[in-house]
Amino acid sequence: MSGEQTLIKIVDNRKCCGCTACASICPVNCIEMVEDEEGFLYPKADEEKCIGCGACDRVCPVLNYKKRITFDETACLVQNKDEKVLKESTSGGAFTEIAKYVIKRGGLVYGVEMSDALVVRHTAVDNEADLNKFRNSKYVQSYLGDTFKDVKDQLGSGRFVCFSGTPCQAEGLLQFLGKRPENLILVDISCRAVPSPGVWKRYADYMRESHGEIQSVRFRDKGLGYQYSTMYIKTRDGDEREGIESAPWLRMFFSGMITRPSCSECKFRSPYRKTDLTIWDCYPTYRMAPEFDENLGTTRILVHTEKGREVFHEIRDSFRIHSISFEDVTEGVYEMQLFHTGNPRRKEFFEDYQSMRMGEVIEKYFPETGKVKAKKTIRRDMNKYGIDKTLKHILRKE
């Protein structure tokens, strides 16, 4: 955005995280979130409607970022005692218990679901039966729509609300609200980077061409175990599982090729956050909590506020818990301390993305070479016969 004008205009894509705070705050609704050529949403103002109030600039979490003053953060590792919840969750099933805490108090929980049309979006639930929508990671930037406005309305009515999202979405909501309501619980999902929703839409169409009707997708399925999580696609004709070494979408994501430009300069990569709780997965589990090394999934939790402590105290009996120091749980964590540097071929990728079919793009940048096939076979065999766990234990002893 330009600091010399009141009309919002993105002059550097690295300075916009797409949180929708600006569009949500506009008093005349002149800002629309518009998809660019890379498939990301950016704010665009209607010049004729704009009244030049500058509210959009003042609410931006990137432009107005202030480093958080540290709290006496506490940390632990958890596994949900409910086997069904643990199995369906990406990691240890922590968020389900936070959400249940809110719902039992008549509250509303905002999280991310994948629709039947494979659209990744924020939505709200007020009953425990629907919490399964929020389980499992979604490796796509979520569509927020009017979520911030809805949250504000619910809070204003006195309702207890939990909002979960990426760190930038959480900070965007706080900026939009202007103050921290007592009836709000903020949970951030520690984030590596967010992939393009536009690229995902084309990839989903590509999968339909290859597999027919897609009934469901899980980006982090634990059908073959937590240590060998896979991308799982369920179709009417059968199932497919691909690990990180071979699944095209996972390879694209982890390469940095399709992630949002602002992720390369993320201001929110810090262990000291403005949310109440931060949750994320736990690798390698055997080094931090040998008793949890059961290939079932474990969640790391950071508590940032007094409210966060109160919530965790109330739900702690739902977990198996391993205490760990703040320093140990965050040491070397990519998402906490380092910038995502992207990929040197990113520009070239998106140039081809504009003119080539998705299958052709995948074949050019992420072909299934003999090396990829070999990795896939070796990893599956090691997992099948438990060799991977044996090797880890040998290395641990060393």
Side-chain angles (χ1 to χ4, degrees):
M1 302 174 198
S2 171
E4 299 179 357
Q5 59 187 25
T6 52
L7 177 71
I8 190 170
K9 185 177 181 181
I10 304 300
V11 295
D12 182 350
N13 285 358
R14 294 173 298 176
K15 304 301 181 184
C16 174
C17 63
C19 72
T20 76
C22 55
S24 301
I25 201 70
C26 180
V28 294
N29 296 316
C30 81
I31 300 175
E32 181 183 6
M33 299 299 291
V34 178
E35 184 176 312
D36 75 345
E37 65 278 2
E38 294 184 348
F40 292 105
L41 297 180
Y42 291 91
K44 183 177 181 180
D46 184 328
E47 296 187 27
E48 294 184 0
K49 290 184 179 180
C50 180
I51 60 176
C53 66
C56 50
D57 273 0
R58 292 193 296 272
V59 81
C60 175
V62 177
L63 289 182
N64 300 285
Y65 173 76
K66 293 181 180 179
K67 188 174 181 180
R68 182 183 182 279
I69 298 175
T70 62
F71 174 74
D72 183 18
E73 266 78 6
T74 55
C76 64
L77 311 181
V78 303
Q79 282 186 345
N80 201 305
K81 292 178 181 177
D82 186 318
E83 293 183 5
K84 183 177 184 295
V85 172
L86 183 59
K87 182 178 180 180
E88 293 179 353
S89 302
T90 296
S91 300
F95 183 68
T96 291
E97 299 308 319
I98 299 169
K100 286 166 62 176
Y101 169 87
V102 174
I103 289 172
K104 286 176 180 177
R105 287 157 179 77
L108 198 61
V109 178
Y110 290 81
V112 178
E113 71 163 356
M114 178 179 287
S115 72
D116 292 339
L118 305 187
V119 175
V120 177
R121 63 189 182 188
H122 262 80
T123 189
V125 303
D126 60 3
N127 64 88
E128 293 184 15
D130 285 339
L131 288 178
N132 65 309
K133 296 179 180 180
F134 299 154
R135 294 181 195 133
N136 203 267
S137 298
K138 284 84 176 178
Y139 287 158
V140 184
Q141 184 168 31
S142 64
Y143 175 74
L144 279 160
D146 291 328
T147 297
F148 283 9
K149 293 180 182 180
D150 293 340
V151 169
K152 186 175 183 179
D153 289 344
Q154 293 293 333
L155 291 169
S157 71
R159 196 168 189 184
F160 201 20
V161 172
C162 174
F163 175 87
S164 67
T166 61
C168 58
Q169 289 174 336
E171 295 230 15
L173 176 60
L174 281 177
Q175 285 287 122
F176 168 72
L177 294 174
K179 61 180 181 179
R180 195 180 192 110
E182 285 299 315
N183 51 330
L184 173 67
I185 293 177
L186 268 181
V187 180
D188 77 271
I189 314 299
S190 192
C191 172
R192 178 186 182 92
V194 289
S196 163
V199 177
W200 168 248
K201 183 178 183 300
R202 281 188 57 184
Y203 186 82
D205 290 339
Y206 163 76
M207 286 195 300
R208 292 186 184 99
E209 292 175 5
S210 305
H211 302 284
E213 180 186 344
I214 305 295
Q215 296 182 341
S216 65
V217 173
R218 293 170 67 86
F219 294 96
R220 287 277 301 279
D221 182 74
K222 294 191 291 191
L224 298 180
Y226 179 58
Q227 297 298 332
Y228 184 34
S229 57
T230 56
M231 186 166 178
Y232 173 71
I233 303 170
K234 182 178 182 180
T235 72
R236 186 166 51 189
D237 299 326
D239 304 340
E240 177 180 296
R241 280 192 173 93
E242 294 278 350
I244 189 174
E245 72 287 339
S246 57
W249 184 257
L250 298 184
R251 294 173 68 193
M252 283 194 282
F253 169 41
F254 286 104
S255 74
M257 201 88 81
I258 59 171
T259 52
R260 193 176 182 98
S262 61
C263 296
S264 66
E265 298 183 4
C266 179
K267 293 179 177 292
F268 312 107
R269 289 186 183 279
S270 167
Y272 305 105
R273 304 193 175 185
K274 297 178 184 177
T275 53
D276 298 299
L277 299 151
T278 295
I279 58 178
W280 77 110
D281 56 20
C282 183
Y283 291 109
T285 308
Y286 67 91
R287 289 183 182 172
M288 288 185 273
E291 70 273 27
F292 284 178
D293 189 24
E294 302 162 336
N295 217 12
L296 299 175
T298 303
T299 298
R300 284 186 264 197
I301 296 181
L302 275 183
V303 181
H304 301 289
T305 65
E306 197 59 49
K307 185 185 298 181
R309 282 183 177 171
E310 292 173 6
V311 173
F312 185 74
H313 176 75
E314 291 294 322
I315 65 175
R316 62 178 297 122
D317 289 343
S318 300
F319 304 119
R320 295 174 61 200
I321 298 175
H322 176 89
S323 297
I324 189 170
S325 71
F326 168 76
E327 291 76 18
D328 286 343
V329 85
T330 59
E331 182 182 5
V333 175
Y334 179 96
E335 295 83 357
M336 294 283 176
Q337 300 171 353
L338 302 174
F339 288 148
H340 182 71
T341 56
N343 189 297
R345 299 185 69 191
R346 186 183 188 281
K347 182 179 179 181
E348 178 189 357
F349 173 91
F350 274 107
E351 287 175 351
D352 287 334
Y353 170 76
Q354 301 303 314
S355 59
M356 297 169 62
R357 294 173 61 86
M358 179 55 73
E360 295 172 332
V361 174
I362 291 172
E363 182 60 31
K364 178 176 178 178
Y365 292 92
F366 303 96
E368 190 174 16
T369 62
K371 183 177 181 180
V372 170
K373 292 179 180 179
K375 283 184 177 180
K376 177 180 177 179
T377 300
I378 291 170
R379 283 205 66 193
R380 286 201 171 186
D381 286 349
M382 289 179 66
N383 179 76
K384 180 178 180 181
Y385 297 108
I387 299 173
D388 53 347
K389 187 170 183 177
T390 301
L391 286 175
K392 285 189 302 180
H393 287 180
I394 292 174
L395 292 173
R396 179 172 62 184
K397 291 177 180 179
E398 292 178 351

